[in-house]
Amino acid sequence: MNIQQPATDKLATRSGRSGDNIVIVGCGRLGAMLASHFSQHGSRVVVIDRDPAAFVLLDAGFSGFQVSGDAVEHDVLRAAGLDVASCLLAVTEKDTLNLMVAQVGRTVFDVPQVIARVYDPKHETLYRRLGIETISPTSLTAREFLHLVKEHSEVS
């Protein structure tokens, strides 16, 4: 596990959960985009990724923490400040990893808001039964395709 701290150590002064402590698991294109957005809007952000090279996707102005390590390990999640996080976003490309991290965030660390990316729409029901909000890129894309096809057929 490796923790890289930014010049401005925002999380070091935290005293508890607040509305802007966000932990993001996965620093691919989506995780990096979300981390950069929340960082630019004043949130305290910690990004976890197994591959330290993934952090290159963060904007140059990102002012949060970067934690390289396996997000299924409690020590990594604790180092990321999940015990004081107000929001956990599990956005890796693996549904099972997202579910595992989201469950730990919800049940062990009692994070108030947990949202997981779920590629397989069949998994969404299970996640929701566990109190985890989900976003399925597959479902969102299908809905948009159907909408555009319907819109085009109405015009023609």
Side-chain angles (χ1 to χ4, degrees):
M1 174 175 43
N2 182 23
I3 302 173
Q4 295 180 344
Q5 296 183 352
T8 57
D9 188 358
K10 292 181 177 180
L11 288 178
T13 60
R14 68 183 177 226
S15 59
R17 293 184 197 274
S18 70
D20 61 354
N21 286 333
I22 300 170
V23 174
I24 299 172
V25 177
C27 194
R29 287 185 301 260
L30 177 60
M33 182 182 288
L34 291 168
S36 296
H37 173 84
F38 286 120
S39 175
Q40 289 169 1
H41 288 84
S43 296
R44 289 167 281 214
V45 180
V46 179
V47 183
I48 303 171
D49 201 288
R50 181 180 279 186
D51 180 7
F55 299 124
V56 74
L57 295 173
L58 294 166
D59 281 351
F62 176 74
S63 62
F65 286 99
Q66 302 164 17
V67 175
S68 58
D70 190 343
V72 298
E73 295 179 12
H74 284 232
D75 290 344
V76 171
L77 295 174
R78 199 172 309 284
L82 200 58
D83 54 333
V84 295
S86 57
C87 180
L88 167 64
L89 305 176
V91 297
T92 73
E93 295 184 350
K94 298 178 180 174
D95 283 0
T96 53
L97 177 58
N98 291 340
L99 175 59
M100 185 180 302
V101 170
Q103 271 188 294
V104 169
R106 171 67 72 209
T107 59
V108 176
F109 290 93
D110 200 26
V111 178
Q113 184 174 26
V114 177
I115 305 172
R117 174 163 64 176
V118 183
Y119 281 103
D120 187 344
K122 290 184 270 182
H123 294 161
E124 287 185 285
T125 303
L126 170 64
Y127 280 50
R128 289 185 180 143
R129 263 191 253 141
L130 298 170
I132 299 164
E133 295 177 77
T134 61
I135 295 177
S136 170
T138 306
S139 296
L140 290 174
T141 304
R143 276 195 296 269
E144 191 60 26
F145 269 97
L146 294 170
H147 171 75
L148 290 174
V149 168
K150 180 180 177 188
E151 196 175 83
H152 180 76
S153 67
E154 289 174 356
V155 173
S156 302

